[in-house]
Amino acid sequence: MIAAMMTAINLGARVTGWGFVVFTIGSVAWTIVGLGSGQVSLIAANGFLTFVNLVGIWRWLGRQSAYEDGGRSAKAASRGAPSPTLFTATGIAGMPVLDGDGTPIGKAVEALMECRSGAVSYVVVATAVAAGIAEELRPVPRGAVVFECDQLVLLMPRRAFESIAPITPDSWPTSI
């Protein structure tokens, strides 16, 4: 259960990778139980799961964590450089979003980019509703968002943001 939570909450490559380490320990332990009790199906299933988990470790603790480290390194170095400050595009999801008055309003879920130009078309912002149990998604046009290093700031007051019609998780607009 711990490994499942570590991979499901998606807190970055290292946490996910260590979740696969925990999965691997479990699958090796069950393989040993299968060997001791002569349960061929338990050995086969957990032998396969051990292989899958080792691939997960390689993917998340090896390759993906190196990518994240490179992005974080460039982001940190750019803050003191004369060139424009950078942040990772994958870092947009989860960034806090503030309204035009500087009050927290929600978090960025995704940024949709135009294929040809690479420009951000709009950002989907999630706000908590129903005592934080549910959330509403709203598409905010690129021109109404300032991308800062650690947050997004809407160039509109909360009331204007709330007047944007919510979208459903399975039906996002092709443009706004």
Side-chain angles (χ1 to χ4, degrees):
M1 290 187 288
I2 293 169
M5 286 300 298
M6 292 173 74
T7 56
I9 58 177
N10 193 21
L11 292 177
R14 284 196 172 70
V15 173
T16 300
W18 281 104
F20 277 105
V21 169
V22 175
F23 273 136
T24 303
I25 293 167
S27 60
V28 167
W30 280 111
T31 301
I32 293 169
V33 168
L35 289 169
S37 62
Q39 297 180 52
V40 176
S41 59
L42 190 61
I43 296 166
N46 282 285
F48 176 74
L49 288 175
T50 299
F51 171 73
V52 169
N53 292 329
L54 290 173
V55 170
I57 291 169
W58 167 78
R59 164 81 165 81
W60 292 102
L61 283 181
R63 200 170 59 173
Q64 191 64 32
S65 66
Y67 297 160
E68 287 183 7
D69 289 346
R72 271 193 297 275
S73 173
K75 176 182 173 180
S78 74
R79 291 191 179 187
S83 60
T85 304
L86 304 173
F87 66 91
T88 61
T90 56
I92 292 173
M95 275 186 152
V97 178
L98 309 178
D99 68 10
D101 298 325
T103 305
I105 198 166
K107 66 178 179 182
V109 173
E110 186 65 86
L112 284 291
M113 301 176 74
E114 297 172 1
C115 291
R116 291 184 192 235
S117 69
V120 173
S121 176
Y122 66 93
V123 176
V124 177
V125 177
T127 54
V129 294
I133 296 172
E135 60 187 14
E136 287 185 331
L137 305 175
R138 288 185 170 80
V140 178
R142 167 62 184 103
V145 178
V146 174
F147 290 85
E148 295 186 353
C149 294
D150 299 316
Q151 63 193 13
L152 304 178
V153 178
L154 302 181
L155 297 174
M156 62 177 72
R158 178 180 288 269
R159 199 172 299 151
F161 169 76
E162 290 172 348
S163 71
I164 298 171
I167 57 176
T168 61
D170 61 345
S171 182
W172 291 10
T174 57
S175 65
I176 58 171

